[in-house]
Amino acid sequence: MLVLADVFQSGMILQREKEICIWGNAGPGELINVSIQGKSESSYANEEGGWAVRLQPLYASESEKLTVSNGKERICLEDIAVGEVWVAGGQSNMEFHMRYEKHVSDVKPKCWNPRIRFYDVPEIAFDGQEQYFDYSRVGIWRKATPDDLDYFSAVGYYFQCSLESTLNVPVGIIGCNWGGTVSASWMNAETVRNAGAAWMEEYETFAAQVNWEEYWNRQHTNMMNDRGNPFADPFGEFVMPVTRSAKEMQSFFASMMNAGMDLEANHFEYQPCQFPGSLYEHMLRKIAPYGIRGFLWYQGETDDEKCCANLYQPMLTGLIGDWRNLWEDQNLPFLIVQLPGYESWLSGQNLHYDWIRHAQEQVTKMDQNTWLCSISDVGEQYDIHPKNKQPVGERLSLLARGHVYGEEILCDAPVASRIQRSGNQVRISFCNADGGLELRGGQVNALKVSAESNVISWQAEVQGRDLVLILQQDVTGMLQVDFAQEKYYQVNLYNKSGIPAIPFSLYTV
């Protein structure tokens, strides 16, 4: 029987101007022909029936037909667009649906655009999961319409809108994410062993003690694995749209318990979605090597919660390599969202987001095809899910336009590049500040000057690319300048593109 991989559907978007791969299954040895835009290519199915056909680059288009034939059967997919495709991966802040986004009530009535389309990879962590739960609402290519907008990744949607209006071609997002997951889940298990041995040791300790038959029996009825209806979870519907007060949260949990819901059942057990390699194998592999331009990545919060922030740099480096390996292209761009300020939410708290942020920045410095997206002005103090995703998506789009599509624009965040001191004046120079810095407000937020643990008062002014601090007392010896190093902050120092500065710690004598 001739079949295509699940991601290939009518209404999809294919990547333009790059060789693309179409794959599926058929009878062993069958000759498979694929045709679109007047181009045809063929390949034989292997002994297991798997086949893959590579097509020469396509031009941008809004309505194409793709046919696949084995000589006996024929599949015809319609309403296919050709343009730009990106994979948006990570945890809940990338998954965060437009249904909950701050501006959705204004956006939804006028969102209709058939050139913006979204596919959500079904959240599967173990073999056979889809047999125990209903997945009919996901794994579908959707268009930007008022009926379907709820399902879009909010970050992805704003990224798409910006790119589509700039490039004037269709733009697709493939969402490959799962809330509350760690980097180890999204990597090849062997890479986890090499990059973050503690993750593998945790799993192996669990695996050596668990009764696997009983464990999988529990997972087959565990509602935490029921991932086929994004909006069926009453907890998500309650907390995602707005930041709830402690009193509201207490009332919600009380009402759930009164309704007979066991909120702790299976919650603290090691979940399949946290196993090293589980989502890499059961989600990412299902869409590779679908033709794409690059990756968007927004994750790291749960690595911090699991007390593994110190491993995040090698883990993120390994993850990027694994994803590129699946696509057989070590130059595919990675646009990485740097975690914003945040203090606590429910029982979780910011332990070492500063370590995560530093790791994200270091990875982008070491890999010439990765770039850092600053959202240091939109975090929320008591909510791990900031509701305003528009700046996130639009700043990712700026990075893509500047670094991937070659526009001559200011697209990177201001980064402190030098510090100098002369008497009671400290001058901090920034790169990515063409046209000068902008301070929105009377004083610089989240900046502290200290000498031997004594906090020094200061006044600041912007002078072109420089931030000049005038110390309000005489100080000798080493000075430390910390910017956005507290758990929660909202940066108000920007460049002319409206991108907030990257956190830093600098020293000067």
Short mmCIF file of all heavy atoms in Angstrom, two decimals, residues 247-285:
data_model
loop_
_atom_site.label_atom_id
_atom_site.label_comp_id
_atom_site.label_asym_id
_atom_site.label_seq_id
_atom_site.Cartn_x
_atom_site.Cartn_y
_atom_site.Cartn_z
N LYS A 247 -4.58 33.54 45.44
CA LYS A 247 -5.93 33.23 45.91
C LYS A 247 -6.73 32.52 44.82
O LYS A 247 -7.46 31.56 45.10
CB LYS A 247 -6.64 34.51 46.35
CG LYS A 247 -8.01 34.29 46.96
CD LYS A 247 -8.62 35.59 47.45
CE LYS A 247 -9.99 35.35 48.09
NZ LYS A 247 -10.59 36.62 48.58
N GLU A 248 -6.60 32.99 43.59
CA GLU A 248 -7.31 32.35 42.49
C GLU A 248 -6.83 30.92 42.29
O GLU A 248 -7.62 30.01 42.02
CB GLU A 248 -7.11 33.15 41.20
CG GLU A 248 -7.85 34.47 41.15
CD GLU A 248 -7.53 35.28 39.91
OE1 GLU A 248 -6.32 35.40 39.57
OE2 GLU A 248 -8.47 35.78 39.27
N MET A 249 -5.52 30.70 42.42
CA MET A 249 -4.98 29.37 42.25
C MET A 249 -5.50 28.43 43.33
O MET A 249 -5.86 27.28 43.06
CB MET A 249 -3.45 29.41 42.27
CG MET A 249 -2.83 30.15 41.09
SD MET A 249 -3.23 29.44 39.49
CE MET A 249 -2.43 27.86 39.62
N GLN A 250 -5.54 28.91 44.57
CA GLN A 250 -6.05 28.09 45.66
C GLN A 250 -7.50 27.69 45.42
O GLN A 250 -7.89 26.54 45.63
CB GLN A 250 -5.91 28.84 46.98
CG GLN A 250 -4.47 29.01 47.44
CD GLN A 250 -4.35 29.95 48.64
OE1 GLN A 250 -5.34 30.51 49.10
NE2 GLN A 250 -3.14 30.11 49.14
N SER A 251 -8.29 28.64 44.95
CA SER A 251 -9.70 28.36 44.67
C SER A 251 -9.85 27.34 43.55
O SER A 251 -10.71 26.45 43.61
CB SER A 251 -10.43 29.65 44.30
OG SER A 251 -10.43 30.57 45.37
N PHE A 252 -9.00 27.47 42.53
CA PHE A 252 -9.07 26.54 41.41
C PHE A 252 -8.76 25.11 41.87
O PHE A 252 -9.50 24.18 41.56
CB PHE A 252 -8.09 26.95 40.31
CG PHE A 252 -7.94 25.93 39.21
CD1 PHE A 252 -8.88 25.86 38.19
CD2 PHE A 252 -6.88 25.03 39.20
CE1 PHE A 252 -8.77 24.92 37.19
CE2 PHE A 252 -6.77 24.08 38.20
CZ PHE A 252 -7.71 24.03 37.19
N PHE A 253 -7.66 24.95 42.60
CA PHE A 253 -7.28 23.60 43.05
C PHE A 253 -8.34 23.02 43.99
O PHE A 253 -8.62 21.82 43.95
CB PHE A 253 -5.91 23.63 43.72
CG PHE A 253 -4.77 23.80 42.76
CD1 PHE A 253 -3.86 24.84 42.92
CD2 PHE A 253 -4.62 22.94 41.69
CE1 PHE A 253 -2.81 25.01 42.03
CE2 PHE A 253 -3.57 23.10 40.80
CZ PHE A 253 -2.66 24.14 40.97
N ALA A 254 -8.93 23.87 44.82
CA ALA A 254 -9.98 23.40 45.72
C ALA A 254 -11.19 22.90 44.92
O ALA A 254 -11.77 21.86 45.24
CB ALA A 254 -10.39 24.51 46.67
N SER A 255 -11.55 23.63 43.87
CA SER A 255 -12.70 23.23 43.06
C SER A 255 -12.41 21.92 42.32
O SER A 255 -13.31 21.07 42.16
CB SER A 255 -13.06 24.33 42.06
OG SER A 255 -12.05 24.51 41.09
N MET A 256 -11.17 21.73 41.87
CA MET A 256 -10.82 20.49 41.18
C MET A 256 -10.89 19.30 42.14
O MET A 256 -11.38 18.23 41.78
CB MET A 256 -9.41 20.60 40.59
CG MET A 256 -9.27 21.56 39.43
SD MET A 256 -10.23 21.08 37.95
CE MET A 256 -11.69 22.13 38.14
N MET A 257 -10.40 19.49 43.35
CA MET A 257 -10.45 18.41 44.33
C MET A 257 -11.89 18.09 44.71
O MET A 257 -12.25 16.93 44.87
CB MET A 257 -9.62 18.79 45.55
CG MET A 257 -8.13 18.90 45.27
SD MET A 257 -7.16 19.40 46.70
CE MET A 257 -7.34 17.93 47.73
N ASN A 258 -12.71 19.13 44.83
CA ASN A 258 -14.12 18.92 45.15
C ASN A 258 -14.84 18.17 44.04
O ASN A 258 -15.82 17.47 44.27
CB ASN A 258 -14.81 20.26 45.41
CG ASN A 258 -14.36 20.89 46.71
OD1 ASN A 258 -13.88 20.20 47.62
ND2 ASN A 258 -14.49 22.21 46.81
N ALA A 259 -14.33 18.35 42.81
CA ALA A 259 -14.92 17.66 41.66
C ALA A 259 -14.41 16.23 41.53
O ALA A 259 -14.79 15.51 40.60
CB ALA A 259 -14.64 18.44 40.38
N GLY A 260 -13.53 15.83 42.45
CA GLY A 260 -13.05 14.45 42.45
C GLY A 260 -11.83 14.20 41.60
O GLY A 260 -11.47 13.04 41.36
N MET A 261 -11.16 15.26 41.15
CA MET A 261 -9.96 15.08 40.33
C MET A 261 -8.74 14.89 41.22
O MET A 261 -8.52 15.66 42.17
CB MET A 261 -9.74 16.30 39.41
CG MET A 261 -10.81 16.47 38.36
SD MET A 261 -10.41 17.79 37.20
CE MET A 261 -8.98 17.08 36.38
N ASP A 262 -7.97 13.85 40.93
CA ASP A 262 -6.73 13.59 41.67
C ASP A 262 -5.61 14.32 40.93
O ASP A 262 -5.06 13.83 39.95
CB ASP A 262 -6.45 12.09 41.72
CG ASP A 262 -5.23 11.78 42.58
OD1 ASP A 262 -4.55 12.73 43.02
OD2 ASP A 262 -4.96 10.59 42.80
N LEU A 263 -5.26 15.49 41.40
CA LEU A 263 -4.29 16.34 40.71
C LEU A 263 -2.87 15.82 40.85
O LEU A 263 -1.97 16.27 40.12
CB LEU A 263 -4.37 17.77 41.26
CG LEU A 263 -5.71 18.46 41.05
CD1 LEU A 263 -5.67 19.84 41.71
CD2 LEU A 263 -6.06 18.58 39.59
N GLU A 264 -2.64 14.88 41.78
CA GLU A 264 -1.28 14.40 41.98
C GLU A 264 -1.05 13.02 41.37
O GLU A 264 0.08 12.53 41.37
CB GLU A 264 -0.94 14.36 43.48
CG GLU A 264 -0.92 15.74 44.11
CD GLU A 264 -0.39 15.71 45.53
OE1 GLU A 264 -0.06 14.60 46.00
OE2 GLU A 264 -0.31 16.76 46.16
N ALA A 265 -2.09 12.38 40.86
CA ALA A 265 -1.94 11.05 40.30
C ALA A 265 -0.93 11.05 39.17
O ALA A 265 -1.09 11.78 38.19
CB ALA A 265 -3.29 10.53 39.81
N ASN A 266 0.10 10.25 39.29
CA ASN A 266 1.15 10.09 38.27
C ASN A 266 1.99 11.35 38.04
O ASN A 266 2.91 11.33 37.23
CB ASN A 266 0.56 9.66 36.92
CG ASN A 266 -0.13 8.32 36.98
OD1 ASN A 266 0.41 7.39 37.58
ND2 ASN A 266 -1.31 8.21 36.39
N HIS A 267 1.67 12.43 38.76
CA HIS A 267 2.33 13.70 38.43
C HIS A 267 3.82 13.67 38.76
O HIS A 267 4.62 14.26 38.05
CB HIS A 267 1.65 14.85 39.17
CG HIS A 267 2.23 16.19 38.84
ND1 HIS A 267 1.99 16.83 37.65
CD2 HIS A 267 3.06 17.01 39.55
CE1 HIS A 267 2.65 17.98 37.62
NE2 HIS A 267 3.30 18.12 38.76
N PHE A 268 4.19 13.00 39.85
CA PHE A 268 5.57 13.04 40.29
C PHE A 268 6.39 11.84 39.80
O PHE A 268 7.55 11.70 40.14
CB PHE A 268 5.62 13.14 41.82
CG PHE A 268 5.03 14.43 42.34
CD1 PHE A 268 3.79 14.44 42.95
CD2 PHE A 268 5.70 15.64 42.18
CE1 PHE A 268 3.24 15.62 43.42
CE2 PHE A 268 5.15 16.82 42.63
CZ PHE A 268 3.91 16.83 43.25
N GLU A 269 5.76 10.98 39.02
CA GLU A 269 6.49 9.85 38.46
C GLU A 269 7.29 10.32 37.25
O GLU A 269 6.90 11.24 36.53
CB GLU A 269 5.52 8.75 38.04
CG GLU A 269 6.22 7.49 37.58
CD GLU A 269 5.25 6.32 37.46
OE1 GLU A 269 4.11 6.55 37.02
OE2 GLU A 269 5.63 5.21 37.83
N TYR A 270 8.43 9.68 37.05
CA TYR A 270 9.29 9.99 35.90
C TYR A 270 8.50 9.71 34.62
O TYR A 270 8.14 8.57 34.33
CB TYR A 270 10.54 9.12 35.98
CG TYR A 270 11.72 9.56 35.14
CD1 TYR A 270 12.90 8.84 35.20
CD2 TYR A 270 11.67 10.67 34.31
CE1 TYR A 270 14.02 9.21 34.47
CE2 TYR A 270 12.77 11.05 33.55
CZ TYR A 270 13.93 10.32 33.63
OH TYR A 270 15.02 10.69 32.89
N GLN A 271 8.21 10.75 33.83
CA GLN A 271 7.34 10.63 32.68
C GLN A 271 8.11 10.25 31.42
O GLN A 271 9.27 10.65 31.24
CB GLN A 271 6.60 11.94 32.45
CG GLN A 271 5.70 12.37 33.60
CD GLN A 271 4.59 11.37 33.86
OE1 GLN A 271 3.94 10.90 32.94
NE2 GLN A 271 4.39 11.04 35.14
N PRO A 272 7.48 9.52 30.49
CA PRO A 272 8.16 9.15 29.25
C PRO A 272 8.67 10.35 28.45
O PRO A 272 9.70 10.25 27.78
CB PRO A 272 7.08 8.39 28.47
CG PRO A 272 6.17 7.84 29.52
CD PRO A 272 6.15 8.88 30.61
N CYS A 273 7.96 11.47 28.55
CA CYS A 273 8.40 12.64 27.78
C CYS A 273 9.69 13.24 28.32
O CYS A 273 10.28 14.12 27.66
CB CYS A 273 7.31 13.71 27.75
SG CYS A 273 6.91 14.43 29.36
N GLN A 274 10.16 12.77 29.49
CA GLN A 274 11.42 13.24 30.04
C GLN A 274 12.57 12.26 29.80
O GLN A 274 13.72 12.57 30.11
CB GLN A 274 11.28 13.50 31.56
CG GLN A 274 10.18 14.47 31.95
CD GLN A 274 10.46 15.90 31.51
OE1 GLN A 274 11.38 16.18 30.76
NE2 GLN A 274 9.64 16.83 31.99
N PHE A 275 12.28 11.09 29.26
CA PHE A 275 13.34 10.13 29.00
C PHE A 275 14.33 10.71 27.99
O PHE A 275 13.92 11.31 26.98
CB PHE A 275 12.78 8.83 28.42
CG PHE A 275 11.97 8.00 29.35
CD1 PHE A 275 11.70 8.39 30.65
CD2 PHE A 275 11.44 6.78 28.92
CE1 PHE A 275 10.95 7.62 31.50
CE2 PHE A 275 10.68 5.99 29.76
CZ PHE A 275 10.43 6.41 31.06
N PRO A 276 15.62 10.53 28.20
CA PRO A 276 16.59 10.98 27.19
C PRO A 276 16.28 10.40 25.81
O PRO A 276 16.11 9.18 25.66
CB PRO A 276 17.92 10.45 27.73
CG PRO A 276 17.72 10.38 29.21
CD PRO A 276 16.29 9.97 29.39
N GLY A 277 16.15 11.28 24.85
CA GLY A 277 15.91 10.86 23.48
C GLY A 277 14.48 10.57 23.10
O GLY A 277 14.18 10.32 21.92
N SER A 278 13.53 10.61 24.04
CA SER A 278 12.16 10.16 23.74
C SER A 278 11.48 11.02 22.68
O SER A 278 10.85 10.50 21.75
CB SER A 278 11.32 10.13 25.02
OG SER A 278 11.25 11.41 25.62
N LEU A 279 11.57 12.33 22.80
CA LEU A 279 10.88 13.20 21.84
C LEU A 279 11.69 13.36 20.57
O LEU A 279 11.13 13.60 19.49
CB LEU A 279 10.59 14.56 22.49
CG LEU A 279 9.82 14.47 23.81
CD1 LEU A 279 9.46 15.85 24.32
CD2 LEU A 279 8.57 13.61 23.67
N TYR A 280 12.99 13.23 20.68
CA TYR A 280 13.85 13.20 19.49
C TYR A 280 13.44 12.03 18.60
O TYR A 280 13.31 12.17 17.38
CB TYR A 280 15.30 13.07 19.93
CG TYR A 280 16.30 12.83 18.83
CD1 TYR A 280 16.85 13.90 18.13
CD2 TYR A 280 16.72 11.54 18.53
CE1 TYR A 280 17.80 13.67 17.13
CE2 TYR A 280 17.67 11.31 17.53
CZ TYR A 280 18.19 12.38 16.84
OH TYR A 280 19.12 12.16 15.85
N GLU A 281 13.20 10.87 19.21
CA GLU A 281 12.86 9.67 18.44
C GLU A 281 11.42 9.67 17.97
O GLU A 281 11.15 9.28 16.83
CB GLU A 281 13.12 8.42 19.30
CG GLU A 281 14.57 8.19 19.65
CD GLU A 281 15.42 7.85 18.44
OE1 GLU A 281 14.87 7.41 17.41
OE2 GLU A 281 16.66 8.03 18.53
N HIS A 282 10.48 10.10 18.80
CA HIS A 282 9.07 9.93 18.50
C HIS A 282 8.40 11.16 17.90
O HIS A 282 7.25 11.06 17.44
CB HIS A 282 8.33 9.50 19.76
CG HIS A 282 8.68 8.13 20.24
ND1 HIS A 282 9.67 7.90 21.18
CD2 HIS A 282 8.22 6.90 19.89
CE1 HIS A 282 9.78 6.60 21.40
NE2 HIS A 282 8.92 5.97 20.63
N MET A 283 9.07 12.29 17.91
CA MET A 283 8.49 13.49 17.30
C MET A 283 9.40 14.06 16.21
O MET A 283 8.99 14.21 15.07
CB MET A 283 8.22 14.55 18.38
CG MET A 283 7.10 14.17 19.34
SD MET A 283 6.79 15.42 20.62
CE MET A 283 6.20 16.80 19.64
N LEU A 284 10.64 14.38 16.58
CA LEU A 284 11.50 15.06 15.62
C LEU A 284 11.80 14.18 14.40
O LEU A 284 11.78 14.65 13.26
CB LEU A 284 12.81 15.48 16.29
CG LEU A 284 13.67 16.47 15.48
CD1 LEU A 284 12.96 17.81 15.35
CD2 LEU A 284 15.03 16.65 16.12
N ARG A 285 12.08 12.92 14.64
CA ARG A 285 12.40 12.02 13.52
C ARG A 285 11.24 11.92 12.52
O ARG A 285 11.46 11.64 11.34
CB ARG A 285 12.75 10.63 14.04
CG ARG A 285 14.19 10.47 14.50
CD ARG A 285 14.52 9.02 14.73
NE ARG A 285 15.89 8.83 15.15
CZ ARG A 285 16.92 8.73 14.33
NH1 ARG A 285 16.73 8.83 13.02
NH2 ARG A 285 18.15 8.54 14.79
#
